[in-house]
């Protein structure tokens, strides 16, 4: 499923799941910055490690 499919799902829990995952990801980034730890992501099938400093720079860009 992609974002559009999920947003049109009949099940309300499934529709809300994308927003919940986005909130969880943001919370994980915030905790990583506070604790000066890294976050590991998978983008396009490749594992990426973002340091707390990289996350701070990402936040400053916004």
């Amino acid at each position: 499923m992609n974002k559009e499919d999920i947003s049109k799902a009949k099940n309300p829990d499934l529709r809300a799941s994308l927003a919940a995952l986005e909130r969880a990801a943001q919370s994980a980034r915030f905790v990583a910055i506070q604790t000066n730890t890294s976050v590991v992501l998978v983008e396009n099938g490749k594992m990426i490690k973002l340091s707390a400093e990289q996350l701070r720079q990402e936040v400053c860009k916004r």
Side-chain angles (χ1 to χ4, degrees), residues 22-33 37-41 43 48-62:
E22 289 171 346
R23 287 191 306 272
Q26 184 60 36
S27 179
R29 287 179 175 94
F30 182 72
V31 170
I33 289 170
T37 56
S38 298
V39 172
V40 178
L41 310 171
E43 282 187 4
I48 299 171
K49 183 176 179 181
L50 296 176
S51 69
E53 184 57 35
Q54 289 171 304
L55 294 169
R56 283 185 197 96
Q57 291 173 1
E58 186 180 295
V59 169
C60 290
K61 289 179 185 178
R62 294 180 188 175

Side-chain angles (χ1 to χ4, degrees), residues 5-18:
D5 291 340
I6 291 174
S7 68
K8 293 180 180 179
K10 292 179 183 178
N11 184 319
D13 290 335
L14 186 56
R15 285 194 308 264
S17 67
L18 182 59

